[in-house]
Amino acid sequence: MNAIEGGDAQKVIEMLQQEDAKDNDFFLRVKLDDDGRLCNVFWRDSMMKEDYDIFGDVMVFDTTYRTNKYNLICAPFVGINHHWKNVMFGCAFLSDEKVFPETRHRLCLWHLHQNAVSRFAKLRSQNSFKDAFKKCLSGCVDENEFESCWSSMISDYKLENHPWFNRLYGLKEKWCTALSKDLFSAGILSSQISESTNHAIGFSAKKNTSLTDFFGIFKEMLKNWRNKEQKDEFQCSRSIPESALPLTGMLKHASEVYTLTLFRDFEAEFLKSISSSSTLILVEDKMMVYNVSSHDKDGLSHRVIFDCLSNLIKCSCKKFEECGFLCYHCLRVLHINSIVSIPESYIKKRWTKFAKSKIWDKFNSTVGRSEKFRDCIPWRHEMARKYYNLVLQCQENKEARMIVEEGYNRDSVAINALMSSLTITEQSDTSIHSNSSHIVQDPTHSVTKERSQRIKGHFQKSKKKKIDASNSIQAKEFGSMSPNIHLL
């Protein structure tokens, strides 16, 4: 009731200001219209900034969701950490989706594949078409192979004059993986990770969700993400990866530097390198050129150039450029040249156990400078010892355990109240105040591109009244359903 009486937008601003009071590096910007109504709001905390500094080489910015009753655009800035899990860089609510027009926009491969096989009844049952289309989406090595595969598919299935496929071909730079291998994307296939993010946010948030409720959902989701990272960090620091192969040579080196998640990816490439074959086709001074072939059903061959003096290596598949760790073609060549550790040039810090070492160093230096903190260490150790002994003393008695738990809950409430009052007292003035002369009015209902919710796909539309194709837009044609795979 307090949130309703205070106004939805005003309450959210106050909640954000409370976060600002607790975080010295919190950032908040709010834009109002001439009537004092909320138009845009962006915020990020200090941990989001630190994560962006480390993992900001890849960021997904997806504005396709409406998760509130004002139809404002929910715009999370999302990346992936060194455990290949979601990490938040910031979040915004926008009334206008014309943002970042100069960035590289991508169409979701999952959406494209689902729409292609669902729109055309005659092709739906043909596995050969599905395979051919999937090959065009993500199975081609370079542009020449893509053009050849696309032409063959269009010709074989008589799609030369089909407008959907013609429009799709015109947007090939936005979805064909063969045309983006020079771009580091951490291996993300289009917006798959943003689908995961929006699924997590939109799971509870609906089109009638207030901004206040959404902020609560957002904070809970963020807390869960960070708890998962803490567990991953702990497990990574205390665990030694298990492998079907002996942990020697490059595999042992990978287990020492990579997180558990990335070690599994490296191990998969290492296993492929063992079963592949290589042929030395050219030697010129210190440069050696190999053809490396796999023995799987594709039987693809890639050219690897190796500088034996500097240990520099390059493969035509461009996996390192795209994903940040070496492909099995390169590993094969390194192995036959008796290289027993991963060359330093090909260990991307963002994938290692030490990705956050800068934050650790910053924390340690801050602790080192703080006499006040050092003075607290003996007291902290003494209190930890006392409470630990108390827990041991009462652990076998239910009534004693209840006394300790009740005391903890009572003390936590009192201490939190005390610390909050001290923080608010010390808070400096911000650009937007919560006094009566600066009340932020709730936003009007935004109307953008005729979309008030997540666009439904072909399978969902078929259950309802059909929509005139002439009124559809590219967003409806090339983006529809959310995948079942979520990177959480």
Side-chain angles (χ1 to χ4, degrees):
M1 290 302 299
N2 289 335
I4 295 174
E5 292 173 1
D8 193 15
Q10 179 64 28
K11 187 65 178 180
V12 168
I13 299 303
E14 291 174 357
M15 294 167 70
L16 288 168
Q17 286 180 326
Q18 291 175 8
E19 296 294 320
D20 186 23
K22 296 182 292 184
D23 188 341
N24 291 332
D25 208 9
F26 194 88
F27 184 89
L28 169 65
R29 284 295 181 270
V30 179
K31 183 177 180 180
L32 310 178
D33 64 13
D34 294 338
D35 297 325
R37 294 189 177 277
L38 181 67
C39 293
N40 305 316
V41 57
F42 169 82
W43 73 94
R44 65 113 178 101
D45 61 24
S46 57
M47 190 174 295
M48 294 178 190
K49 181 179 183 297
E50 290 174 346
D51 284 334
Y52 177 76
D53 290 340
I54 298 169
F55 306 115
D57 50 1
V58 173
M59 181 174 71
V60 177
F61 181 69
D62 189 351
T63 60
T64 58
Y65 268 79
R66 309 291 187 272
T67 53
N68 55 89
K69 65 181 181 180
Y70 309 104
N71 204 34
L72 290 176
I73 302 160
C74 171
F77 297 77
V78 181
I80 56 173
N81 63 15
H82 49 324
H83 302 289
W84 235 94
K85 298 288 178 61
N86 285 337
V87 61
M88 188 70 70
F89 297 147
C91 193
F93 276 116
L94 308 171
S95 57
D96 188 341
E97 62 188 353
K98 297 176 182 178
V99 289
F100 295 138
E102 302 302 322
T103 55
R104 182 178 291 202
H105 294 263
R106 302 288 292 171
L107 296 173
C108 181
L109 300 183
W110 190 91
H111 287 148
L112 296 180
H113 187 267
Q114 291 298 316
N115 278 300
V117 299
S118 64
R119 285 174 174 270
F120 314 108
K122 293 182 179 180
L123 300 176
R124 190 182 306 173
S125 60
Q126 298 186 38
N127 289 329
S128 59
F129 167 74
K130 296 178 183 178
D131 293 339
F133 188 61
K134 186 176 181 180
K135 174 82 171 176
C136 292
L137 290 177
S138 59
C140 296
V141 176
D142 53 33
E143 185 173 3
N144 291 334
E145 184 180 6
F146 164 73
E147 294 293 348
S148 176
C149 291
W150 183 268
S151 298
S152 298
M153 181 187 71
I154 295 298
S155 176
D156 292 344
Y157 298 99
K158 297 178 172 54
L159 300 170
E160 292 88 348
N161 298 319
H162 199 287
W164 191 86
F165 281 95
N166 289 337
R167 285 198 299 274
L168 183 62
Y169 179 78
L171 297 170
K172 60 185 178 180
E173 289 80 8
K174 292 189 176 184
W175 52 265
C176 178
T177 59
L179 304 181
S180 60
K181 288 185 177 293
D182 59 326
L183 173 72
F184 177 70
S185 65
I188 298 173
L189 293 179
S190 187
S191 63
Q192 187 182 48
I193 197 163
S194 65
E195 292 290 351
S196 167
T197 305
N198 281 318
H199 175 81
I201 297 175
F203 186 76
S204 300
K206 302 176 182 178
K207 63 181 181 180
N208 59 349
T209 300
S210 68
L211 296 182
T212 307
D213 290 339
F214 176 88
F215 187 66
I217 295 170
F218 178 85
K219 286 184 64 178
E220 187 63 28
M221 180 205 69
L222 194 61
K223 179 182 177 181
N224 291 337
W225 285 10
R226 290 174 175 174
N227 285 340
K228 288 179 181 178
E229 180 175 313
Q230 289 181 350
K231 292 178 181 178
D232 288 335
E233 289 283 83
F234 179 80
Q235 186 178 5
C236 196
S237 65
R238 299 300 178 97
S239 302
I240 298 176
E242 295 181 357
S243 176
L245 300 173
L247 286 178
T248 59
M250 277 191 288
L251 201 60
K252 181 177 186 297
H253 189 200
S255 71
E256 294 170 347
V257 297
Y258 287 132
T259 61
L260 295 177
T261 304
L262 265 294
F263 173 78
R264 294 301 168 208
D265 291 334
F266 183 90
E267 181 188 39
E269 294 294 322
F270 190 85
L271 288 170
K272 288 181 183 179
S273 73
I274 295 175
S275 61
S276 62
S277 60
S278 58
T279 304
L280 181 61
I281 60 175
L282 178 64
V283 177
E284 185 175 327
D285 194 15
K286 60 182 180 178
M287 305 296 294
M288 294 185 287
V289 181
Y290 292 83
N291 264 350
V292 180
S293 303
S294 63
H295 299 297
D296 55 21
K297 62 180 181 179
D298 294 327
L300 296 177
S301 177
H302 289 277
R303 179 162 294 192
V304 178
I305 303 174
F306 177 56
D307 184 336
C308 59
L309 293 183
S310 62
N311 283 351
L312 295 177
I313 194 164
K314 188 176 183 65
C315 181
S316 60
C317 79
K318 295 186 177 181
K319 188 177 185 70
F320 177 78
E321 289 83 352
E322 184 180 8
C323 299
F325 57 92
L326 290 174
C327 60
Y328 72 89
H329 316 106
C330 289
L331 296 180
R332 174 72 181 181
V333 172
L334 291 174
H335 180 71
I336 62 179
N337 282 277
S338 302
I339 306 299
V340 296
S341 61
I342 307 168
E344 186 176 349
S345 303
Y346 302 101
I347 299 177
K348 219 169 176 57
K349 187 178 179 181
R350 61 121 50 238
W351 292 134
T352 69
K353 299 176 182 179
F354 320 106
K356 290 199 166 186
S357 60
K358 186 184 295 185
I359 296 177
W360 304 337
D361 294 341
K362 178 181 176 182
F363 175 78
N364 291 334
S365 63
T366 302
V367 172
R369 292 193 304 267
S370 175
E371 291 291 338
K372 182 178 180 181
F373 186 88
R374 285 204 300 268
D375 292 342
C376 295
I377 293 177
W379 176 85
R380 192 177 71 230
H381 288 172
E382 177 67 14
M383 294 304 296
R385 183 183 64 80
K386 288 181 178 179
Y387 270 95
Y388 181 69
N389 290 336
L390 186 63
V391 169
L392 291 179
Q393 182 179 351
C394 70
Q395 62 181 350
E396 296 181 359
N397 186 285
K398 185 176 181 180
E399 293 183 7
R401 292 202 304 265
M402 290 181 62
I403 292 174
V404 172
E405 292 171 3
E406 290 173 357
Y408 172 81
N409 292 334
R410 181 187 64 250
D411 294 344
S412 295
V413 171
I415 291 172
N416 288 337
L418 173 64
M419 301 308 293
S420 296
S421 64
L422 293 176
T423 303
I424 293 174
T425 302
E426 297 172 357
Q427 180 187 8
S428 60
D429 291 339
T430 57
S431 58
I432 297 180
H433 302 280
S434 58
N435 57 51
S436 57
S437 62
H438 292 86
I439 294 296
V440 178
Q441 302 297 324
D442 293 342
T444 57
H445 187 86
S446 299
V447 180
T448 54
K449 288 192 177 181
E450 303 177 355
R451 294 185 293 180
S452 61
Q453 58 185 0
R454 186 62 163 162
I455 298 167
K456 298 183 180 299
H458 174 83
F459 292 115
Q460 295 165 295
K461 290 178 180 177
S462 62
K463 298 178 181 179
K464 297 185 178 182
K465 183 178 179 181
K466 293 183 178 180
I467 301 175
D468 184 3
S470 62
N471 293 327
S472 63
I473 56 178
Q474 285 186 359
K476 294 184 178 180
E477 293 180 307
F478 301 132
S480 55
M481 300 165 59
S482 297
N484 294 322
I485 300 175
H486 301 299
L487 306 177
L488 293 173

